[in-house]
């Protein structure tokens, strides 16, 4: 719920509403009133261990509390306005038969907060978020489970264009293993990210449209952006021969073409180049 402004109650109105008690007494009663304790999350089954994959998200809205002022003899205290307390959770758990359907609600929560919410259901699962292209935000990008693990990715055809991607994780309520899961979040402005199937060449390093340009054109762009830490990988008809370990800059020919540009370690960029245009 969106509340732009709360209209104050005038002193005259308060006096009229509490004619049989003083304002000091009213203030004391308000200060003594506290909200109900938040509900504890349910636990299902014994403690378990798991390993995980990536997914998309919606930020949780904060609850707004306004104070109700009542007449004599009526309870005066906080009145919750807006989302329920449950909506402030970082994860969403929906029970379907013997499974929990898990999705991310708060994409900027501390990973320890995700772990605690899994633990509240008796699960030992590590979950984190990694930057991805905007259309893959909220999808499962990686999941690791022990051999024979029963975790499943919930697939959503069409969610990521022509590729089929996962939008959640299905966990047995009696699962007893450790899991690691990575969900995708939209990359921030200027943030590098690993690209995957369906992403455009150069997208993860803010160089969309770099594929098909000559190396000379790419060098001009890199110079303009003051990018100097660049590695080169050779590609020609699916082979990296005769340079399986990459090339030095002086081995790269300006008339060659760029096939892709991806993020390396730190601020490093990797260009895939070769003599043929793709």
């Amino acid at each position: 719920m969106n509340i732009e402004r709360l209209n104050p109650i005038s002193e005259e109105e308060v006096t009229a509403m509490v004619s049989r008690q003083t304002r000091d007494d009213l203030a004391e009663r308000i200060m003594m009133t506290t909200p109900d304790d938040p509900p504890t999350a349910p636990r299902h089954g014994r403690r378990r261990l798991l390993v995980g994959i990536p997914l998309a998200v919606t930020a949780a809205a904060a609850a707004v509390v306004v104070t109700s002022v009542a007449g004599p003899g009526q309870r005066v205290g906080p009145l919750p306005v807006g989302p329920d307390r449950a909506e402030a959770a970082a994860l969403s758990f929906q029970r379907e038969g013997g499974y929990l359907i898990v999705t991310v609600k708060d994409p900027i929560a501390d990973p320890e907060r995700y772990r605690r919410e899994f633990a509240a259901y008796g699960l030992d699962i590590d979950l984190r978020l990694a930057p991805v292209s905007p259309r893959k935000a909220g999808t499962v990008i990686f999941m690791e489970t022990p051999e024979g693990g029963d975790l499943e990715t919930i697939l959503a055809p069409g969610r990521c264009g022509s590729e089929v991607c996962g939008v959640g994780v299905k966990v047995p309520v009696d699962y007893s293993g450790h899991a690691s899961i990575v969900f995708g979040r939209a990359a921030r402005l200027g943030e590098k990210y690993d690209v995957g199937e369906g992403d455009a060449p150069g997208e993860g390093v803010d160089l969309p449209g770099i594929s098909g340009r000559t190396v000379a054109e790419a060098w001009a762009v890199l110079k303009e952006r003051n990018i100097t830490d660049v590695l080169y990988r050779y590609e020609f008809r699916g082979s990296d021969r005769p340079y399986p370990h990459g090339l030095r800059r002086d081995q790269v020919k300006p008339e060659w073409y760029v096939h892709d540009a991806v993020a390396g370690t730190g601020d490093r960029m990797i260009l895939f180049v070769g003599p043929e245009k793709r």
Side-chain angles (χ1 to χ4, degrees):
M1 178 179 293
N2 207 2
I3 297 181
E4 297 182 358
R5 185 170 65 91
L6 298 177
N7 291 324
I9 299 176
S10 68
E11 184 174 343
E12 290 77 15
E13 289 173 308
V14 172
T15 302
M17 296 171 66
V18 293
S19 57
R20 284 180 289 175
Q21 66 182 102
T22 66
R23 287 193 297 271
D24 290 342
D25 179 54
L26 174 61
E28 182 179 355
R29 293 175 63 191
I30 292 174
M31 293 298 292
M32 293 177 60
T33 305
T34 57
D36 295 335
D37 293 334
T40 56
R43 289 180 178 270
H44 299 277
R46 62 184 182 281
R47 187 173 181 77
R48 311 157 176 79
L49 267 125
L50 295 165
V51 192
I53 306 186
L55 153 96
V57 296
T58 352
V64 180
V65 176
V66 295
T67 301
S68 62
V69 181
Q74 296 181 4
R75 185 177 183 273
V76 179
L79 173 67
V81 177
D84 296 333
R85 293 180 184 275
E87 294 182 6
L91 300 174
S92 170
F93 294 87
Q94 299 293 328
R95 180 72 179 261
E96 288 189 6
Y99 293 88
L100 290 172
I101 307 302
V102 185
T103 57
V104 173
K105 297 182 68 177
D106 185 351
I108 59 174
D110 188 297
E112 179 63 19
R113 186 174 160 200
Y114 299 132
R115 191 198 65 76
R116 289 197 304 267
E117 292 190 16
F118 274 119
Y121 284 85
L123 301 168
D124 184 9
I125 300 179
D126 294 326
L127 185 149
R128 65 184 180 86
L129 293 147
V132 293
S133 57
R135 70 198 188 100
K136 290 186 177 179
T139 64
V140 179
I141 55 175
F142 174 81
M143 182 166 69
E144 183 182 5
T145 61
E147 187 174 352
D150 296 328
L151 270 69
E152 301 177 23
T153 304
I154 302 170
L155 302 178
R159 167 66 175 77
C160 300
S162 58
E163 295 75 39
V164 177
C165 58
V167 296
V169 179
K170 190 175 182 180
V171 185
V173 294
D174 61 349
Y175 193 82
S176 58
H178 176 76
S180 296
I181 305 173
V182 181
F183 289 118
R185 62 162 176 79
R188 304 181 185 95
L189 184 63
E191 185 177 22
K192 295 180 181 179
Y193 56 88
D194 291 333
V195 293
E197 186 178 359
D199 291 325
E203 184 176 355
V205 289
D206 196 26
L207 288 174
I210 195 70
S211 178
R213 293 194 181 192
T214 65
V215 169
E217 291 174 322
W219 279 341
V221 174
L222 296 178
K223 182 178 180 180
E224 181 181 325
R225 300 192 179 185
N226 197 31
I227 298 173
T228 57
D229 193 359
V230 182
L231 294 180
Y232 298 90
R233 295 289 182 265
Y234 182 80
E235 289 184 336
F236 180 68
R237 296 182 182 176
S239 173
D240 59 2
R241 294 181 181 181
Y243 308 104
H245 304 296
L247 305 92
R248 301 186 309 271
R249 191 181 192 280
D250 60 5
Q251 293 176 301
V252 180
K253 301 185 182 300
E255 65 270 19
W256 283 359
Y257 294 94
V258 177
H259 301 155
D260 201 353
V262 300
T265 303
D267 292 329
R268 178 169 292 176
M269 184 178 297
I270 303 173
L271 289 184
F272 292 84
V273 300
E276 63 180 351
K277 185 175 183 178
R278 290 187 178 179

